[in-house]
Amino acid sequence: MHRPLGITVSRHILDSQRLHPEATGALSSLLAELIVAAKTISAEVNMAGLADILGMSGKTNIQGEDVQKLDEFANNTIKRRMARSGFLCVMTSEEEEDIIPAAEGYEGKYTLAFDPLDGSSNIDVNVNIGTIFSIHRRLTPSGQGSKEDLLQKGREQVAAGYIVYGSSTMLVYTTVEGVHGFTLDPSVGEFYLSHPDIRMPDRGKYYSTNEGNSCRWREPMRRYIDFLKEEDKESSRPRSARYIGSLVADFHRNLIAGGIFLYPGDRKSPEGKLRLLYEASPLAFIAEKAGGRAITDDGRSILDIEPTALHQRVPLIIGCRQDVDVAEEFFAGKR
Ligand code: P6P
């Protein structure tokens, strides 16, 4: 496959903006600001392992600046930069209980929901972590945004994406067209197009779930996972188990190589663990744009859920279309 070399993410965003003559460039500039924040976080994440060695693990580093916990650093990096971007009227973050207003006089026409550093418990063991973001158009006419502007269905998103910090730092995002992946060249500080037009395979070879929760699973989940472990060449079973415990990393592998991720409700947590606004919804938007599916364990499409609270949790089954279709039949009691 021809891979266009050297296309930066900024060029790619502007090229897709050109497809929409009515575009003012605000969304492109918003994404560009978000990408600056991502590069800043990436540099800090990659230094994290050195914190102890370089004596930066205390409250102040060698420059005498306060060293923040990485997720606190990531949260502050995004909210401070985006509050003054001029493109947002309100934000919500996994790290903050209430809404985050845009700076006075900098209110814009979009909203941002983000998980600044998902999987941060994995930092100390050098496992991939990620930033997830979701962008909607505001509903209120002007001025400071409100919770109402944030509580919108995933299907109404104008853009969604994530950055996965790992062996390399990758940005994956979608606007109205396809899903595209960019890899950071840290020596230049640029994201270059490395995965144009990502399409999820119709059926995957992996399944991702925390089997440690199986004692609390409801019957359909137990039966579906047992089904994936049976021998059946025709339907590429048994599937391989892959579970990193970082949603962005598990999702990214399934997006590229094919698979299904399940974090259903169980007897202890009926709504599961993952958050709708800044985890399930943006990843569902990406999955559907790449030909996959994302549903709850009672068959609702993630993108059609009407949010009622900023940090509401939702059961999540997301991945290759055929795999989610079969899982849906198990959860509906049809298999
Ligand atoms: P468990 C990380 O803490 C996270 O929020 C997601 O990134 C990940 O998919 C999930 O929780 C892992 O949860 O219960 O399997 O440890």
Side-chain angles (χ1 to χ4, degrees):
M1 171 176 66
H2 167 64
R3 280 186 183 276
L5 296 177
I7 293 186
T8 63
V9 64
S10 327
R11 159 81 192 285
H12 193 273
I13 290 170
L14 290 174
D15 286 350
S16 50
Q17 179 192 316
R18 284 196 195 99
L19 301 176
H20 304 274
E22 75 287 359
T24 63
L27 180 60
S28 300
S29 304
L30 192 173
L31 288 168
E33 279 299 283
L34 206 45
I35 288 161
V36 173
K39 290 178 190 175
T40 308
I41 295 166
S42 177
E44 199 69 14
V45 164
N46 292 332
M47 281 294 286
L50 293 173
D52 293 343
I53 301 165
L54 299 183
M56 293 196 281
S57 54
K59 274 310 275 176
T60 57
N61 65 19
I62 40 183
Q63 288 86 17
E65 297 146 358
D66 277 346
V67 174
Q68 298 159 332
K69 269 167 52 69
L70 264 183
D71 38 13
E72 186 188 333
F73 173 83
N75 185 54
N76 289 334
T77 299
I78 295 173
K79 75 174 184 176
R80 288 173 184 163
R81 173 169 291 280
M82 300 316 290
R84 291 188 171 281
S85 65
F87 307 114
L88 296 173
C89 63
V90 68
M91 293 178 266
T92 183
S93 164
E94 194 264 351
E95 293 286 326
E96 310 225 358
E97 195 51 42
D98 209 345
I99 63 172
I100 304 164
E104 201 65 39
Y106 288 84
E107 298 86 357
K109 65 181 180 181
Y110 293 107
T111 72
L112 174 67
F114 63 99
D115 185 350
L117 210 56
D118 178 72
S120 47
S121 56
N122 287 314
I123 293 170
D124 299 344
V125 292
N126 204 19
V127 165
N128 292 16
I129 49 184
T131 299
I132 313 172
F133 62 89
S134 166
I135 298 167
H136 282 88
R137 209 169 272 102
R138 72 179 302 167
L139 298 176
T140 52
S142 61
Q144 279 297 330
S146 65
K147 204 174 275 191
E148 176 203 352
D149 289 302
L150 288 161
L151 297 179
Q152 296 188 53
K153 282 195 243 184
R155 207 165 293 287
E156 305 303 319
Q157 289 174 93
V158 291
Y162 60 85
I163 299 93
V164 53
Y165 310 101
S167 47
S168 60
T169 293
M170 266 198 76
L171 162 73
V172 173
Y173 89 101
T174 185
T175 52
V176 279
E177 286 79 43
V179 176
H180 309 283
F182 301 79
T183 301
L184 181 65
D185 175 346
S187 65
V188 180
E190 269 300 350
F191 279 104
Y192 288 105
L193 183 63
S194 52
H195 297 70
D197 288 321
I198 299 172
R199 298 295 297 169
M200 251 188 184
D202 285 341
R203 190 171 72 193
K205 52 188 171 188
Y206 298 121
Y207 76 93
S208 311
T209 193
N210 185 342
E211 304 237 15
N213 295 334
S214 59
C215 57
R216 296 194 291 263
W217 285 346
R218 299 187 186 115
E219 200 46 32
M221 175 66 175
R222 188 194 315 281
R223 292 180 49 251
Y224 175 63
I225 299 300
D226 287 347
F227 165 79
L228 294 182
K229 294 175 181 175
E230 291 164 357
E231 186 87 46
D232 178 80
K233 220 167 175 53
E234 211 286 299
S235 58
S236 7
R237 287 182 289 146
R239 297 290 170 84
S240 290
R242 290 287 187 281
Y243 192 67
I244 300 172
S246 244
L247 174 60
V248 175
D250 280 316
F251 176 81
H252 184 69
R253 182 205 45 253
N254 294 342
L255 176 73
I256 303 294
I260 184 169
F261 173 95
L262 303 101
Y263 210 114
D266 60 30
R267 284 197 291 276
K268 181 183 162 218
S269 326
E271 289 309 304
K273 174 178 184 181
L274 301 171
R275 312 287 185 167
L276 174 60
L277 284 188
Y278 41 76
E279 290 177 334
S281 181
L283 296 185
F285 195 62
I286 293 168
E288 288 205 4
K289 293 274 184 184
R293 283 192 72 198
I295 60 172
T296 61
D297 54 12
D298 58 1
R300 290 171 292 155
S301 165
I302 293 287
L303 295 180
D304 294 331
I305 296 176
E306 198 72 58
T308 52
L310 293 178
H311 305 290
Q312 76 185 75
R313 298 178 194 271
V314 68
L316 179 62
I317 299 167
I318 186 169
C320 297
R321 177 163 293 280
Q322 287 178 16
D323 292 337
V324 176
D325 289 350
V326 171
E328 186 177 34
E329 289 175 8
F330 274 84
F331 281 89
K334 293 177 184 159
R335 290 179 78 152

